[in-house]
Amino acid sequence: MRISWWGHATTTIELGAVRVLTDPVLTERIAHLRRHGSAPPPPESVGADVVLVSHLHADHLHVPSLRMLAAPTRIIAPAGAARLLARAAPELATRVEEVEAGESVRVGDVEITAVPAHHDGRRHGVSRFHAPALGYVLRRDDRSVWFAGDTGLFDGLDAIGPVDVAVVPVGGWGPTLGPHHLDPEQAAEAVGRVGAHDAVPVHYGTFWPAGLRHLSTGQFEHKFRRPGDRFATALRQSDVDAIAHVLAPGRAVTL
């Protein structure tokens, strides 16, 4: 298993010969958010057999980035996503395979199962487009990985595991984290609850609101740069038997 982190929630998970791309955001900006510290990955580096979309928020279902991917790439997304794409990008809507929590699809010899997440499923606060937020568990032979998407802690989290690896969000994209997210300490608890032995922190250190960096320097360091290291510290100080693999954007770990 090889996991590459491209920033925010965008990863490539390689299980055998199958390449899975998660929540692709491949641009410099998302509306008022600007990428800091690293360039977007070139599209050729994120070629994949299948794309997993966890929920409808624009920093996870990013239409311009989906349009950059090769046309044959399968897109797996929560039930309700095709309706949004039929309006925003009809050429993508026909490629979407919708799933609900508990349903599985196969890509080569990899089984991908949609699992619950605790997060706002609307496109935005007043949107009429809605789809339940999901995570995904990928399994090949005796190896497994949980891509959490975006989630807070919830009662059914323990039932997702056990898994070998957790790809888990540990931050956000601004001075406040908001509800139904994991901070570094909560993310460490989530890793323990799914029984993972290795964890890759994501969803931090990539996007920040334009113009706010110099107005909130302390918050920028704490909420933007440090969540990965804070997560690693939280794991070490907990009773969770797991190792944090803190990556820089564009780097990978083989497990």
Side-chain angles (χ1 to χ4, degrees), residues 8-198:
H8 207 53
T10 306
T11 71
T12 298
I13 302 171
E14 299 172 71
L15 284 165
V18 175
R19 289 171 58 90
V20 180
L21 180 64
T22 66
D23 287 349
V25 178
L26 311 177
T27 57
E28 288 281 358
R29 300 181 72 107
I30 311 171
H32 67 295
L33 305 179
R34 184 165 68 85
R35 189 181 290 260
H36 289 271
S38 64
E44 59 268 22
S45 69
V46 293
D49 299 292
V50 64
V51 170
L52 302 181
V53 175
S54 62
H55 61 290
L56 299 191
H57 289 171
D59 59 324
H60 293 259
L61 193 164
H62 189 241
V63 172
S65 295
L66 292 175
R67 283 176 165 152
M68 296 168 68
L69 302 173
T73 309
R74 296 171 66 180
I75 302 173
I76 310 297
R83 180 169 170 261
L84 167 64
L85 288 173
R87 173 81 177 254
E91 76 280 11
L92 295 174
T94 58
R95 290 163 47 196
V96 172
E97 302 172 42
E98 294 190 328
V99 293
E100 298 181 353
E103 294 182 338
S104 299
V105 298
R106 291 199 70 87
V107 181
D109 59 355
V110 175
E111 181 182 62
I112 301 173
T113 301
V115 296
H118 185 50
H119 195 68
D120 186 356
R122 295 171 295 176
R123 179 64 166 175
H124 54 75
V126 294
S127 176
R128 61 190 177 90
F129 295 107
H130 177 275
L134 298 174
Y136 296 92
V137 173
L138 290 62
R139 298 186 186 276
R140 177 182 182 268
D141 297 332
D142 60 347
R143 303 303 311 280
S144 58
V145 56
W146 170 49
F147 170 67
D150 230 351
T151 188
L153 297 172
F154 61 98
D155 288 342
L157 188 58
D158 306 63
I160 289 173
V163 296
D164 297 310
V165 183
V167 178
V168 62
V170 301
W173 49 253
T176 59
L177 190 57
H180 312 313
H181 291 83
L182 298 175
D183 63 22
E185 293 72 29
Q186 292 168 332
E189 179 181 342
V191 169
R193 288 175 59 179
V194 300
H197 298 297
D198 293 276

